[in-house]
Amino acid sequence: MEWLQPAGAWAFIAIVPVILLYLLHKRVRQKPVPSLLLWRKTQMDEVHSRLLLHFRNQLLMWLQLLMIAVLAISLMHPATGGKAQQESVWIFDLSASMQTLDTHGISRMRRAQEAARKQLDSMPVGEKLTILTASAAVEQPLTRSDDRAEARRQLSTLVAQNGSSDLAGALALAQAMQRELAGVQITVFSDNASLSALPKIGVVGVGESMPNQAILDVTVQPESGTAFAQIRNDGPAVETALECHAEGVLCDLRTVSLEAHAQTSVRFAVPKGTQEVCVRFAQPDALQADDTRYGLAPRQNRHTALLVTDGNVFLQHALALDPLMTVDLAAPSDAQETATYDLYVYDGCLPEKLPQSGAVFAIDPDGEVFGIQPAETVSQAQGVRAAAGETARALCENLLLDEIAIKETRVLNGGTAVLQTNEGAVLSVYETQTHRVAVLGFDLHRSNLPLKADFPVLIQNLLKYLLPDSTASVAQAACGEEVALHADVRAQQVWVRTPSGKMIPVKDGYLRDTNEIGIYALIEQYADGAERETRFTLHIPTAESAVNEEAVSADVQYEAKTAYGLRDWSTYLLMLLFVLVLVEWEVSRRGT
Amino acid sequence: MLSDAFLARLDAFALRAGRAATGGAGGMRRSKALGSSAEFSDFREYVAGDDIRHIDWNAFARFDRLFLKLFMEEKQQRLNLILDASASMGFGKWQAAVQLCQALGYVGLCGGDSVVLYTLSGNGVHSSQTLSGRYSYARLAALVEQTQPHGSVKLDTVVPRLLLPQGQGICFLISDLLCEDGYEKALSSLLYRKQEVTLVQLWSREELEPTMEGTAELIDSENGQKLTLNASYDTLKRYRETARTYVQQAQRFCHARGITHAFVVPETAFEEQMLRVLCNAGLIA
């Protein structure tokens, strides 16, 4: 015996007022009679106890209590039996496009919820339901439950996010269940038009084709006092107004004629030195999430480097090519520098103790540097080339590596090879929890590399690797995605302030709570109390703005619907209740 | 008080008595004594001393013998009306008892009988003077109207002690027979005293088929005793069976002793019902 709706037990509370009513209103009435002669001759129920007076032989009361009990039990939906269970897996697309409003002003998400509720009402009793939500990640708010109330509650809590949806991941999970369990039906509630072709998967297409205009990108040039917005029109030709806010103040308003299904750029005049711009449509359209976009001026993070060398003009100038880089020189005898630098460059020497923080670039070291070990010396190394791998490809970008000759070098073991000869790696990099390290296996003065055009390029590439922009990976990120933040290893505490002002500590270098649209701030706090704030923006994925394609529903005819659900006894109990009502009426009619 | 129209209808009726009247003053009721009334009774041969005015001369002409025509003597009958005026009679049947008593008395008075009214109540026994003649009806009616049901009456104790006149008579006992001590001795004593007894047992509809529900505390109207009971369907059903059995016992008792028994449950229009009941029971004709 199972109870499909345990909440129905609340109906038992009705017993209390019934008993109270009988206690309060069933008083003894006095009735004069001509004589007690015949009453005494009658074998009757004479009552001696006043306490039991109210209850004994109160057939009506017992009938009414029984009716309440039957009603309560029927509301609890007692069920028995049940062998193989029919199962359903519902996947809900929570992508940003599900926020799109139709011509009636109702969102696609709400349409999906309404369709799901209808299916839930017609779902056989005992059928188990699993709900998967596909936003940037796949979540499972309801797992194989036959509790309809819980399912309705979960349905009502579904909200479209600002990111894309990992429908593939959700479908993979659902199909895995389909393989493992018999009779699993998969239904996807989505506005994605490409889902209808999927085999063995039912699709409830929601939403209608709606025209939409989206702001795809906003860039700011503070020096010239200009901002650019890239606009796309997914719909018929339209004329629309765009507002431009600089530092929160409305500074420009443009009316733009947009061709049908075309993309265009709009230029705004902003005050010089503007760091933050917000462009938005004056009138909202079907999808409001892409009607506003923020833009930030390019970042200018300054770095400091300590070059420990007996004298290396090439290296010194190559490092100083970056105008935001400040290079301090030190002799090898002063290699044990206590000051804090972003980068330590050791040219032909190593300090007794490597720095606790900051990046390290060691040239022809005579010992191990954070896991990279110089090995045997090789003479007349030829054929310097880029090593395989993504890291090497990025570091060797724009390098010719032509006719580079090395008189003597040491092969490097450990780390990731960037440049290699026939004998082995001559430039390797390595990343630990606290350091980024690059080791060059030869003395620059014993090669022609400094004379090549490749040298300053290689040094700048190395600097990009060794001193990464903490929010560089955010440039292409969108809402809902997991964002990697390369915080300064010297920062003792790192937070991210969301557009709503919520402070989220960053512990493993990733920000996962990225559903908000707007300007985020990475805040790094150092030991001396200083703080560095780096801002970045997140918006909905541009693909979510294409809402002019109508999703198509697809039904699936499953081969074997042999599963039988639980037998719900509530109908029979309601019939019993009806009989009890008739009996109670008859008893009430003829009197107790 | 009975209406004049109803009294006019009663004029056409007379009390029916099973036995011939004996004793008493001359009246309109036939007696066993031969008398000078116009009603023929028999013939017998003439003996010396007979009144020659009664010789049938036509018979002498045919038979040549003297025959004497005999005529019925009409005498006055005693009608004793015993009215139970205990408190139990006050529950929906007192008015009927009063009207019944008045009607019987009126028929008796109009029939030339002498009527005596006995009222039995908690205050004791009250008997009227012997009333006779139609003109006495008003007094009889007033006496009955003045009586109010009160207290308890033990029929078996009170009725045998009633001072009934000597000789035969007609006796009507109007009661509900709801006496703790019984009624059998009362009826037997009346028979013993040569009364032609008629028992009119009056019950209200509520006594026969009580309507109540739930728990009730019943109060005896005569002695104030209380009884708390659960008036369930079964209890009421058993009561109705008990009541019917009680009435049947009274009927059997009366039948066994030649007592006329009339069971009356008064209806709203009691005059018509009363006339029907008295005729059906053979009390009046």
Side-chain angles (χ1 to χ4, degrees):
Chain A
M1 175 73 77
E2 294 183 32
W3 306 101
L4 302 181
Q5 297 285 348
W10 285 103
F12 277 112
I13 291 178
I15 287 175
V16 176
V18 170
I19 292 176
L20 286 177
L21 280 174
Y22 273 87
L23 275 173
L24 294 174
H25 294 287
K26 284 286 180 181
R27 294 196 175 93
V28 179
R29 287 159 297 185
Q30 290 191 331
K31 181 179 177 67
V33 292
S35 173
L36 292 178
L37 175 67
L38 296 179
W39 291 105
R40 293 197 198 284
K41 287 178 181 291
T42 304
Q43 185 185 0
M44 61 189 176
D45 294 328
E46 191 174 350
V47 180
H48 301 286
S49 170
R50 290 283 173 141
L51 183 62
L52 296 175
L53 200 63
H54 303 288
F55 300 111
R56 214 183 74 179
N57 288 337
Q58 291 287 357
L59 185 57
L60 266 181
M61 185 193 74
W62 290 115
L63 275 174
Q64 288 160 1
L65 294 181
L66 183 61
M67 286 162 59
I68 291 172
V70 171
L71 177 65
I73 293 172
S74 66
L75 288 176
M76 292 168 72
H77 287 270
T80 56
K83 298 174 182 176
Q85 298 286 338
Q86 189 81 28
E87 290 215 21
S88 289
V89 179
W90 289 356
I91 300 173
F92 286 89
D93 180 356
L94 299 187
S95 63
S97 61
M98 292 292 281
Q99 301 177 30
T100 306
L101 304 178
D102 59 17
T103 51
H104 299 94
I106 298 174
S107 71
R108 293 178 175 181
M109 191 68 239
R110 193 173 151 195
R111 293 286 187 201
Q113 288 169 316
E114 289 171 355
R117 283 194 191 98
K118 282 184 183 175
Q119 289 200 13
L120 193 64
D121 291 338
S122 60
M123 186 176 281
V125 174
E127 182 171 330
K128 292 185 176 177
L129 174 65
T130 298
I131 295 179
L132 300 178
T133 58
S135 53
V138 178
E139 292 181 1
Q140 195 164 335
L142 188 70
T143 305
R144 303 188 68 195
S145 169
D146 53 4
D147 185 350
R148 297 291 179 264
E150 176 65 16
R152 285 190 181 83
R153 190 161 53 249
Q154 291 297 339
L155 282 177
S156 63
T157 59
L158 296 180
V159 178
Q161 305 295 303
N162 287 322
S164 57
S165 62
D166 185 11
L167 280 174
L171 282 170
L173 180 58
Q175 286 169 330
M177 290 179 67
Q178 202 174 37
R179 285 192 296 272
E180 293 295 324
L181 304 169
V184 172
Q185 299 182 5
I186 301 173
T187 306
V188 183
F189 297 83
S190 173
D191 61 349
N192 193 326
S194 61
L195 290 174
S196 57
L198 293 174
K200 287 190 175 180
I201 292 174
V203 178
V204 177
V206 292
E208 54 193 60
S209 174
M210 294 296 293
N212 183 49
Q213 293 82 44
I215 304 172
L216 302 181
D217 193 20
V218 172
T219 56
V220 185
Q221 293 179 355
E223 302 83 7
S224 61
T226 308
F228 293 93
Q230 198 171 11
I231 314 297
R232 189 176 71 198
N233 177 26
D234 291 318
V238 68
E239 190 172 83
T240 184
L242 280 164
E243 297 174 356
C244 179
H245 300 256
E247 311 292 356
V249 179
L250 178 64
C251 62
D252 201 355
L253 179 66
R254 298 292 172 94
T255 301
V256 184
S257 294
L258 299 172
E259 298 292 327
H261 304 286
Q263 195 165 310
T264 187
S265 290
V266 182
R267 179 178 178 276
F268 298 96
V270 297
K272 287 186 177 180
T274 297
Q275 297 295 311
E276 175 189 326
V277 165
C278 172
V279 178
R280 64 167 68 112
F281 287 110
Q283 294 296 327
D285 54 14
L287 181 58
Q288 297 179 21
D290 61 3
D291 290 349
T292 302
R293 197 165 184 103
Y294 297 88
L296 297 173
R299 287 177 293 273
Q300 291 184 335
N301 290 335
R302 295 190 171 277
H303 296 290
T304 58
L306 176 66
L307 175 57
V308 183
T309 180
D310 282 331
N312 191 334
V313 177
F314 302 106
L315 184 58
Q316 186 178 347
H317 282 282
L319 290 171
L321 281 176
D322 185 352
L324 299 176
M325 175 68 77
T326 303
V327 181
D328 292 340
L329 291 174
S333 58
D334 299 328
Q336 198 62 51
E337 183 61 46
T338 55
T340 303
Y341 289 91
D342 299 324
L343 172 65
Y344 295 89
V345 182
Y346 299 106
D347 182 18
C349 61
L350 277 179
E352 291 181 4
K353 190 176 180 182
L354 287 169
Q356 296 296 312
S357 64
V360 174
F361 180 24
I363 300 169
D364 191 23
D366 51 2
E368 181 185 343
V369 181
F370 292 114
I372 299 177
Q373 178 70 48
E376 70 275 16
T377 301
V378 176
S379 300
Q380 302 297 331
Q382 297 289 334
V384 175
R385 60 186 182 277
E390 189 65 31
T391 306
R393 192 159 35 251
L395 286 170
C396 295
E397 191 178 9
N398 301 321
L399 295 183
L400 297 175
L401 301 178
D402 186 25
E403 295 181 357
I404 294 176
I406 303 171
K407 184 174 178 60
E408 190 176 67
T409 184
R410 299 175 75 176
V411 177
L412 302 174
N413 294 329
T416 303
V418 176
L419 291 177
Q420 64 181 19
T421 62
N422 294 333
E423 287 74 23
V426 294
L427 174 62
S428 293
V429 296
Y430 185 65
E431 182 176 359
T432 68
Q433 290 290 333
T434 55
H435 293 82
R436 281 196 168 194
V437 181
V439 176
L440 190 63
F442 57 92
D443 184 357
L444 287 172
H445 294 104
R446 301 178 71 83
S447 75
N448 64 349
L449 179 60
L451 302 176
K452 296 285 186 181
D454 287 346
F455 182 67
V457 178
L458 175 63
I459 295 299
Q460 291 306 314
N461 287 349
L462 279 173
L463 289 179
K464 281 184 185 175
Y465 172 79
L466 293 170
L467 301 172
D469 183 352
S470 55
T471 59
S473 58
V474 179
Q476 302 301 321
C479 286
E481 296 177 1
E482 189 177 78
V483 176
L485 300 170
H486 301 288
D488 191 338
V489 293
R490 293 167 294 171
Q492 290 195 328
Q493 287 182 310
V494 181
W495 293 282
V496 167
R497 186 177 64 234
T498 65
S500 61
K502 191 166 75 173
M503 299 295 285
I504 302 171
V506 179
K507 292 180 179 175
D508 57 354
Y510 287 94
L511 175 64
R512 295 178 178 83
D513 189 0
T514 58
N515 190 50
E516 290 183 55
I517 297 173
I519 300 173
Y520 291 71
L522 174 70
I523 300 170
E524 297 159 300
Q525 189 178 57
Y526 295 91
D528 57 359
E531 282 188 359
R532 189 173 71 171
E533 182 174 306
T534 309
R535 297 194 297 173
F536 58 97
T537 60
L538 291 177
H539 300 88
I540 71 167
T542 54
E544 295 295 323
S545 298
V547 294
N548 59 337
E549 203 168 353
E550 192 163 347
V552 180
S553 298
D555 291 330
V556 177
Q557 297 297 326
Y558 288 87
E559 293 174 359
K561 284 190 174 181
T562 54
Y564 296 96
L566 293 168
R567 169 174 282 187
D568 189 351
W569 291 93
S570 58
T571 306
Y572 301 100
L573 286 169
L574 287 174
M575 291 168 64
L576 174 62
L577 179 64
F578 178 70
V579 172
L580 285 174
V581 168
L582 291 179
V583 172
E584 194 264 354
W585 176 78
E586 175 63 20
V587 170
S588 175
R589 189 183 63 81
R590 74 179 191 182
T592 56
Chain B
M1 185 75 79
L2 296 173
S3 64
D4 292 340
F6 185 71
L7 292 176
R9 292 178 63 186
L10 286 179
D11 286 339
F13 293 93
L15 288 176
R16 289 180 62 179
R19 289 190 292 258
T22 60
M28 296 172 70
R29 192 168 296 282
R30 290 177 301 177
S31 68
K32 285 184 178 179
L34 299 176
S36 57
S37 71
E39 190 173 352
F40 173 77
S41 174
D42 203 354
F43 293 96
R44 71 172 169 83
E45 286 195 45
Y46 176 79
V47 295
D50 286 340
D51 190 350
I52 60 170
R53 290 178 297 177
H54 293 157
I55 293 175
D56 187 347
W57 297 110
N58 290 330
F60 177 75
R62 288 198 299 271
F63 302 110
D64 199 21
R65 291 170 62 183
L66 289 174
F67 287 94
L68 201 65
K69 285 197 287 188
L70 300 179
F71 294 90
M72 297 299 294
E73 174 79 6
E74 291 182 342
K75 290 209 169 187
Q76 196 177 41
Q77 184 65 286
R78 277 294 296 265
L79 176 60
N80 299 310
L81 296 174
I82 305 173
L83 176 59
D84 179 1
S86 63
S88 64
M89 289 292 286
F91 281 81
K93 54 202 175 190
W94 179 246
Q95 192 60 34
V98 166
Q99 289 183 343
L100 189 60
C101 201
Q102 289 173 340
L104 289 171
Y106 180 78
V107 171
L109 290 172
C110 290
D113 295 331
S114 61
V115 177
V116 179
L117 172 67
Y118 299 91
T119 56
L120 318 178
S121 71
N123 295 330
V125 178
H126 295 277
S127 58
S128 68
Q129 293 178 333
T130 302
L131 304 171
S132 59
R134 182 190 296 263
Y135 62 89
S136 299
Y137 168 70
R139 191 173 176 192
L140 172 70
L143 283 173
V144 177
E145 293 280 352
Q146 288 168 4
T147 307
Q148 290 299 322
H150 174 71
S152 62
V153 172
K154 296 180 177 178
L155 290 177
D156 276 358
T157 306
V158 174
V159 173
R161 294 178 185 172
L162 286 178
L163 296 174
L164 297 178
Q166 292 293 325
Q168 296 177 347
I170 300 173
C171 185
F172 282 88
L173 173 59
I174 302 170
S175 172
D176 55 8
L177 299 186
L178 295 177
C179 303
E180 298 282 349
D181 299 332
Y183 53 86
E184 293 84 356
K185 286 182 182 177
L187 293 173
S188 298
S189 71
L190 292 175
L191 290 175
Y192 179 76
R193 293 151 83 175
K194 299 180 182 177
Q195 295 293 309
E196 185 177 348
V197 182
T198 298
L199 170 64
V200 180
Q201 189 175 5
L202 268 176
W203 272 20
S204 65
R205 179 64 61 186
E206 177 67 18
E207 283 172 303
L208 198 61
E209 295 174 346
T211 55
M212 63 178 79
E213 61 180 1
T215 307
E217 188 176 55
L218 306 183
I219 303 172
D220 193 314
S221 62
E222 294 188 357
N223 53 27
Q225 291 182 350
K226 294 178 181 177
L227 177 68
T228 303
L229 60 86
N230 184 22
S232 65
Y233 176 79
D234 289 338
T235 300
L236 296 180
K237 185 179 176 184
R238 283 197 292 271
Y239 174 84
R240 286 193 290 269
E241 290 173 357
T242 304
R244 275 195 295 272
T245 304
Y246 192 76
V247 173
Q248 287 168 359
Q249 284 175 349
Q251 284 175 335
R252 279 197 295 272
F253 180 84
C254 293
H255 181 73
R257 288 159 182 78
I259 299 172
T260 304
H261 178 270
F263 179 70
V264 181
V265 179
E267 296 171 358
T268 308
F270 182 64
E271 289 182 347
E272 286 299 324
Q273 183 195 6
M274 179 169 57
L275 209 54
R276 191 170 59 248
V277 168
L278 293 177
C279 289
N280 290 343
L283 302 178
I284 61 175

